[in-house]
Amino acid sequence: MKITVVGTGYVGLVSGACLAEMGNDVLCLDLDPEKIRILKEGGIPIHEPGLDQVVARNVAAGRLHFTTNVQEAVQFGTIQFIAVGTPPDEDGSADLQYVLSAARNIGRYMTDYKVIVDKSTVPVGTADKVNAAVRAELETRGEDIPYSVVSNPEFLKEGAAVEDFMRPDRIVVGAEDDRAIFMMKALYAPFQRNHEKLLIMDLRSAELTKYAANAMLATRISFMNELALLAESLGADIELVRQGIGSDPRIGYHFLYAGCGYGGSCFPKDVKALIRTGSEEGHPLRVLNAVEEANDAQKLVLVNKVVAHFGEDLSGHHFALWGLAFKPNTDDMREAPSRVIIAELFRRGATVTAYDPVAMDETRRIFGDDPRLRYAERPLQALDEADALLIVTEWKEFRSPDFEVIRSKLKFPIIFDGRNIFDPVLPRAAGLTYLSIGRP
């Protein structure tokens, strides 16, 4: 099939590369010439494990192409994926300007039948707006060209996006005409040879499914974080509680880890957008409002522990920080807890030396040349002159450190672990004070 993907962010680039991997002819469009330059020169503008190999392999095979030419992109693919950003607006609603701009461009330049697929995470009713935008452009041209609008939300985890796309656990397709359904089934047939994974539903149900999924996962995280704070007060161990409730098959173990809050491009934005949708419909989502409130508070829990030890005024104190990205295996700093933690340490007068395997360049872009923030080339180097260590992202390389060396380097032998990555016995045996989330 000939496929156009509008947008080369996480969703667009991963989708385009993986569709090309299955033998499709894919053209990726982005209006950012710098992104397209990087891709044409063999680079990858985002960090996603394994993506560089898939892109390089399919570019070399002649199945994956990149352009900034809108007309070329529209006329290339029978299937047109819209995979552009939907950032939160000032009122928390999803900003659809890029989605609708892409839809208008398709209507402006299409010359034959198109299946227009909303891959971006969009509010319920967006398919209607995309349909209206395309129809308006066709009417302006005096054309009556057939097309279909489909909702096909993505369920990709950053850091495992290639694997998720190539081996999906479900493929949600919202479509309401047989021709579009036939084409989407044909497109995804190679991804479900083992068993049927395609869930066909109406457009609005498909749009709501994406938001509902992310909101449920965010709810589990905030629930466990709230429970972790209670466990600390009660002298219970949230890790043992997690095992106890996770063993119930009705609950399961996924997304039950206590920590210093969720971040990234999806959960915060989607929770806000769903709350806004509920408000507009006269159905306030009280649980999700609490989820968001709990997450905002959780991002300060680690700093609160630091303040409890060193006092409200942290002037003159210097801290090592391991982990900047909102989660491992990505350089994504959007809504990352580290941003809140660093800003609060600065506000209280402290300075920081940070280490992250891939997110330091992005952090430099965000914080600029702030002299209060330095960067280390290695985890242990970050401990030089530090009073204590804060762990914010659970990268694998942090999981088995030399605790004796950590103790010898820190001015005060304290680890504040925001991700509960250590068995408390190990750092304490090395003489370290070890403070984690929800454990005695």
Side-chain angles (χ1 to χ4, degrees), residues 148-199:
S148 303
V149 176
V150 169
S151 176
N152 176 217
E154 53 85 14
F155 298 96
L156 307 177
K157 298 185 296 293
E158 288 187 38
V162 173
E163 177 71 14
D164 286 347
F165 198 102
M166 298 300 290
R167 296 177 177 82
D169 48 20
R170 80 283 206 195
I171 303 166
V172 173
V173 171
E176 295 172 1
D177 70 82
D178 292 339
R179 187 175 182 182
I181 292 171
F182 173 81
M183 293 195 69
M184 295 302 288
K185 283 183 174 180
L187 178 67
Y188 281 116
F191 297 91
Q192 49 176 346
R193 291 175 63 84
N194 181 265
H195 65 276
E196 180 69 30
K197 302 174 184 178
L198 205 66
L199 301 175

Side-chain angles (χ1 to χ4, degrees), residues 388-408:
L389 168 63
L390 282 68
I391 300 175
V392 181
T393 313
E394 63 275 31
W395 287 94
K396 288 181 180 178
E397 65 180 273
F398 301 157
R399 293 185 179 180
S400 298
D402 188 325
F403 291 110
E404 297 286 350
V405 173
I406 292 175
R407 183 179 183 279
S408 69

Side-chain angles (χ1 to χ4, degrees), residues 161 266 290 425 440:
C266 294
V425 172

Side-chain angles (χ1 to χ4, degrees), residues 1-3 17-26 58 63 190-191:
M1 288 188 182
K2 293 175 78 70
I3 299 165
C18 291
L19 289 168
E21 183 82 346
M22 289 301 187
N24 296 290
D25 197 5
V26 179
N58 286 281
R63 293 189 297 265
F191 297 91

Side-chain angles (χ1 to χ4, degrees), residues 122 225 290 326 385 439:
V122 293
N225 284 335
F326 87 94
E385 303 178 2
R439 296 192 287 185

